[in-house]
Amino acid sequence: MSASTAGIELRLQSRRVASAVELLSSMRFAIALLTVISIASVVGTVLKQHEPINNYVNQFGPFWSEVFGALDLYSVYSAWWFLLILAFLVVSTTLCIVRNTPKILTDLRQYKEHVREQSLQAFHHKADATLAEAPRAAAERIGQGLLARGWKVRLQSRETPSGTGWMVAAKTGAANKIGYLAAHAAIVIICIGGLFDGDLMVRAQLWFGGKEAFQGGGLIADVPAKHRLSDANPTFRGNLLVTEGTRAGVAVLPQPEGVILQELPFDVELKKFIVEYYDTGMPRLFASEIVIHDRYTGEARPARVEVNHPVEHRGIQIYQSSFDDGGSLVKLRAVPMGASVKPFEVQGRIGEATALTNGDERLRLEFTGLRVINVENFGGTAAAGVDVRKVDLRQAIESRLGSGHKTVTERVLRNVGPSITYKLRDEAGQAREFHNYMLPIDLDGQRVILLGVRDTPQEPFRYLRVPVDENDGLDGFARLRAALADPAMRQMAVRRYVALAAPDQPPAVVQALAGSAQRAIDLFAGEDPEIERLPHNGVPRLGGLQALSAFMEVNVPEAERERAGEVLLRILNGTLFELYQLSRQQAGLPPAQRGDATAAFMTQAVLSLSDAFFYPAPLTFQLKDFEHVQASVFQVARAPGKTIVYLGCLLLIIGVFAMLYVRERRLWVWLAPAGDGARATMALSSNRKLLDNDREFDGLRGLLHPPASKGST
């Protein structure tokens, strides 16, 4: 080989190395971009997108909610940095395809038959042999053998000083390079399809089309045109809520700044919403019987939408997304929880609100939810809830107001009936959410009504257990609570208790017992004159059993507290029972009979009265009656990019399979004339170093030796 030829070979090799390094660097950069996009997609999947900012403040706090908002994590898929990375990935991958496709296509057409004999000696898989055949005959025989094995073959003759030599150039596994093109093209196609089906088109209309997000409230019909998108919008995805017996044709598209209304070319009328349950309480079927009213043709098309079975009309898919209350009419009974008011009834619809006032204080009652079915787990604290919204009553009671019901038995599922959810909002705009069950529930052998409360939507409900009277109502507890707040009633209860407990005792004993009973019930009612001097331990208002505990902590030596506590509780229970009898007498009811039922009621009532000091409302509302109205939530989507994404996924599967499982191999056999025969040099090249290459080359080496020849290797 001459010096000039060696220089040319060196330059070609340098170019190949530089090209390989450049390709490797671009692949690493593309992988880094894909990693960032993947992480952002995970964030967008885990974190609910386009929620009201108050939800994020409640969830993460003021500082982190502001940080996440600055990073656009609440709208990841429309964030400028996400779109920039996606666009850069598309452009860079496209340029990579454009740059490498001509080279790959050229390489697919080439057999590289011009390789030199000296170059074949540099390959790892090589073999030499002496053949008795002429070079041309040997080349034709070897070529036929390769064709029979699925190789593509080209023969080339060369003139040498010794005569005419023949080069057999063969190749197979060209699909590996096709896989490279398919995989890279798939990335571009999937990204384009994702961009097209995302909210990029909606954002573009907000940026350049004069549209604005709507931030107010009111009726959909009153929203101006600048907050609406035409039904010709090529791509969108929004929610459509339809109440039973009504129709709607405007979808809501959530945006970080508010909402955009999307006009549909049809109206959806909900005839009936169907929900079916398994015996365990898990929902088995969500379905909606609808009628699609086309706005252009007037056609009325009945259809049934189920989960995973959407309906398509005019290129728009209608999915069964969820269900909601459609404005059920509810009747509530207000029961006082310490306020000096009489019970009263209030009526309203879910989603509406009404004002309450006692002259000095104003509250706003907001009807937020009605659940007709609540299947709860009563068998253990570790099991998950099985009602539609995954509420586990046992787990919720773990953070209740008062003593909870704990058990380690297996899961027991039971429908506990309807419940009402509402909010009480004060004049400052602060609101607490309440969740009250309509029917009594058997817990620990006692029938109680659960009254739930939480300060923020992220907290679980804390439940106050209130015992029911002989009529399964809260009237007995409410009367006892009102009597406890009346000083005259407490004094009368003390006198009755002392008269029954010490009928024949000396006046000094009677007076001491009366003083202890009066002090006990006043402390329990939170009305003792010295209660402000007792340690509150962070409690705003001291009362109930906590007040008795604080009193003994200050006035009774530690060694005597246990015995003194037992005496004080015995006196308190007796006085409260007489107070309960007085409350019944004042209501015109017969005295309660002493027995297990009355004892169980009083035991739970003492605990509930004590826990009621932590109940943050002057009254509670019990569901008395309702007229249930269902509403179905549909997701409507026009997604023309779906087909593009499917095509990209198919190409990605083909490309990855081809790159991973198809080996590109090239084979050269140089047949130089040598006397009456030929001298053969064989070399194999593969894009992967595998043991299969060794086995394959051992088989190909057999082509050098025909059955009648005796070549040496």
Side-chain angles (χ1 to χ4, degrees):
M1 184 184 298
S2 63
S4 60
T5 304
I8 294 173
E9 289 290 335
L10 181 60
R11 286 195 296 271
L12 291 175
Q13 187 68 19
S14 300
R15 290 177 183 177
R16 293 192 192 100
V17 172
S19 178
V21 171
E22 183 181 359
L23 179 61
L24 182 60
S25 300
S26 64
M27 288 180 61
R28 289 177 177 175
F29 185 65
I31 291 173
L33 292 180
L34 285 173
T35 303
V36 174
I37 291 176
S38 300
I39 295 174
S41 300
V42 170
V43 174
T45 302
V46 174
L47 181 62
K48 288 185 177 181
Q49 302 288 285
H50 303 300
E51 290 283 304
I53 189 62
N54 291 337
N55 292 2
Y56 299 120
V57 174
N58 292 334
Q59 184 175 0
F60 302 115
F63 175 77
W64 287 110
S65 63
E66 186 174 350
V67 172
F68 295 158
L71 296 175
D72 287 334
L73 297 184
Y74 307 143
S75 54
V76 169
Y77 303 114
S78 59
W80 65 269
W81 53 266
F82 184 85
L83 296 177
L84 181 62
I85 294 175
L86 207 59
F88 193 86
L89 180 64
V90 170
V91 172
S92 62
T93 307
T94 302
L95 292 177
C96 183
I97 294 173
V98 171
R99 184 184 60 182
N100 291 313
T101 298
K103 300 177 183 178
I104 292 175
L105 295 179
T106 301
D107 190 66
L108 289 176
R109 292 191 298 266
Q110 290 180 348
Y111 287 80
K112 299 183 179 181
E113 66 274 16
H114 299 288
V115 65
R116 295 180 175 84
E117 179 182 2
Q118 294 90 338
S119 300
L120 299 181
Q121 299 296 331
F123 286 90
H124 175 71
H125 294 92
K126 61 182 182 296
D128 298 318
T130 301
L131 307 181
E133 303 170 277
R136 179 169 183 171
E140 292 177 350
R141 177 181 59 79
I142 294 173
Q144 291 296 327
L146 290 172
L147 288 174
R149 300 189 183 198
W151 290 67
K152 294 182 179 180
V153 181
R154 176 175 292 180
L155 303 181
Q156 181 197 49
S157 63
R158 297 182 188 175
E159 294 298 329
T160 68
S162 303
T164 303
W166 287 82
M167 173 65 75
V168 180
K171 63 179 181 178
T172 187
N176 179 270
K177 283 188 168 58
I178 300 297
Y180 171 86
L181 294 178
H184 284 69
I187 295 175
V188 176
I189 291 173
I190 292 174
C191 290
I192 292 176
L195 284 172
F196 198 65
D197 275 356
D199 62 348
L200 182 61
M201 296 299 296
V202 176
R203 303 295 294 177
Q205 296 182 64
L206 292 177
W207 293 333
F208 311 111
K211 300 296 182 179
E212 297 179 6
F214 182 69
Q215 299 179 348
L219 299 176
I220 289 180
D222 299 333
V223 177
K226 66 179 180 180
H227 306 299
R228 297 173 179 265
L229 301 180
S230 167
D231 59 9
N233 188 14
T235 174
F236 60 84
R237 189 178 301 272
N239 297 322
L240 180 69
L241 186 144
V242 188
T243 303
E244 283 182 337
T246 65
R247 52 196 285 183
V250 180
V252 177
L253 280 59
Q255 297 295 314
E257 306 86 4
V259 297
I260 287 290
L261 301 185
Q262 172 63 58
E263 297 284 351
L264 301 177
F266 53 81
D267 288 345
V268 176
E269 179 184 0
L270 179 61
K271 289 294 185 180
K272 185 179 181 181
F273 176 76
I274 303 167
V275 56
E276 298 178 1
Y277 297 90
Y278 291 106
D279 294 338
T280 60
M282 286 291 292
R284 184 173 65 89
L285 173 69
F286 294 151
S288 297
E289 301 286 350
I290 65 172
V291 177
I292 302 175
H293 299 273
D294 195 291
R295 293 183 179 180
Y296 293 95
T297 64
E299 175 190 4
R301 173 192 169 193
R304 179 184 175 96
V305 183
E306 298 182 10
V307 176
N308 299 325
H309 293 85
V311 173
E312 182 177 357
H313 188 78
R314 287 190 175 270
I316 298 176
Q317 298 283 338
I318 306 174
Y319 300 89
Q320 181 67 60
S321 176
S322 180
F323 66 94
D324 206 342
D325 195 284
S328 298
L329 181 64
V330 294
K331 183 183 293 185
L332 307 182
R333 183 172 183 265
V335 179
M337 294 293 291
S340 57
V341 296
K342 294 183 179 180
F344 61 92
E345 291 188 352
V346 61
Q347 185 172 292
R349 289 191 178 275
I350 301 299
E352 298 179 355
T354 186
L356 303 174
T357 180
N358 59 2
D360 299 327
E361 185 179 9
R362 294 181 182 274
L363 295 174
R364 178 180 172 87
L365 173 62
E366 301 174 1
F367 308 93
T368 57
L370 171 69
R371 299 185 195 170
V372 178
I373 296 177
N374 288 276
V375 179
E376 309 286 1
N377 174 22
F378 281 81
T381 58
V386 295
D387 72 314
V388 177
R389 296 167 180 82
K390 302 293 183 186
V391 175
D392 190 328
L393 189 59
R394 291 298 185 200
Q395 187 176 1
I397 289 180
E398 285 299 308
S399 56
R400 77 259 168 234
L401 288 174
S403 58
H405 178 68
K406 299 181 180 179
T407 176
V408 294
T409 57
E410 64 181 7
R411 185 168 62 175
V412 178
L413 307 175
R414 188 166 78 245
N415 179 19
V416 297
S419 64
I420 183 69
T421 306
Y422 61 90
K423 290 183 179 180
L424 284 178
R425 192 177 302 275
D426 58 22
E427 294 179 295
Q430 300 296 320
R432 286 188 176 92
E433 190 175 12
F434 299 84
H435 178 222
N436 296 345
Y437 287 85
M438 180 180 184
L439 303 177
I441 301 173
D442 291 320
L443 292 177
D444 294 337
Q446 174 66 43
R447 291 178 63 77
V448 296
I449 287 182
L450 297 178
L451 309 177
V453 60
R454 63 182 178 184
D455 297 326
T456 64
Q458 285 69 40
E459 298 178 359
F461 282 105
R462 297 165 288 136
Y463 286 93
L464 173 65
R465 304 196 307 181
V466 179
V468 297
D469 54 23
E470 64 272 16
N471 298 319
D472 272 353
L474 296 179
D475 292 339
F477 178 80
R479 288 192 299 266
L480 180 57
R481 172 81 178 180
L484 183 64
D486 188 346
M489 293 284 285
R490 295 200 302 269
Q491 292 178 2
M492 291 177 60
V494 169
R495 289 196 296 269
R496 290 185 54 161
Y497 169 71
V498 172
L500 292 174
D504 300 325
Q505 297 297 324
V509 175
V510 172
Q511 185 177 1
L513 181 59
S516 298
Q518 191 67 54
R519 171 57 64 88
I521 197 169
D522 286 346
L523 284 169
F524 190 81
E527 300 293 340
D528 190 86
E530 299 182 3
I531 201 167
E532 292 301 327
R533 292 196 292 268
L534 299 178
H536 282 51
N537 297 322
V539 179
R541 184 190 174 195
L542 194 60
L545 297 177
Q546 296 82 8
L548 269 67
S549 176
F551 175 80
M552 288 191 296
E553 182 180 347
V554 173
N555 297 282
V556 180
E558 184 176 358
E560 302 178 8
R561 287 177 189 172
E562 183 176 356
R563 183 177 62 84
E566 294 177 357
V567 174
L568 197 60
L569 285 178
R570 191 181 309 118
I571 294 174
L572 175 65
N573 289 334
T575 308
L576 286 175
F577 180 74
E578 296 303 324
L579 186 65
Y580 177 59
Q581 296 286 41
L582 284 172
S583 68
R584 292 179 62 88
Q585 178 182 337
Q586 192 178 50
L589 298 175
Q593 299 297 321
R594 294 181 180 271
D596 293 339
T598 303
F601 172 85
M602 289 303 302
T603 299
Q604 182 60 50
V606 172
L607 297 175
S608 301
L609 287 170
S610 178
D611 295 337
F613 282 92
F614 297 95
Y615 196 77
L619 43 81
T620 187
F621 292 89
Q622 186 180 13
L623 181 63
K624 300 301 294 182
D625 196 9
F626 61 87
E627 181 182 335
H628 193 212
V629 179
Q630 287 276 29
S632 190
V633 180
F634 302 103
Q635 185 182 81
V636 290
R638 177 178 280 158
K642 178 177 64 176
T643 305
I644 300 176
V645 173
Y646 287 163
L647 175 62
C649 292
L650 178 61
L651 284 177
L652 185 62
I653 293 173
I654 294 174
V656 171
F657 183 86
M659 288 192 297
L660 291 180
Y661 298 103
V662 177
R663 293 177 296 124
E664 183 188 14
R665 287 98 69 203
R666 291 182 180 270
L667 182 72
W668 296 273
V669 182
W670 168 245
L671 299 165
D676 295 335
R679 186 180 73 256
T681 301
M682 175 183 285
L684 175 70
S685 172
S686 176
N687 64 336
R688 292 186 183 176
K689 294 182 179 181
L690 301 173
L691 294 178
D692 291 342
N693 297 335
D694 299 335
R695 289 190 290 266
E696 185 176 25
F697 186 71
D698 289 340
L700 293 173
R701 194 186 323 204
L703 294 174
L704 298 179
H705 305 287
S709 66
K710 296 182 180 179
S712 61
T713 300

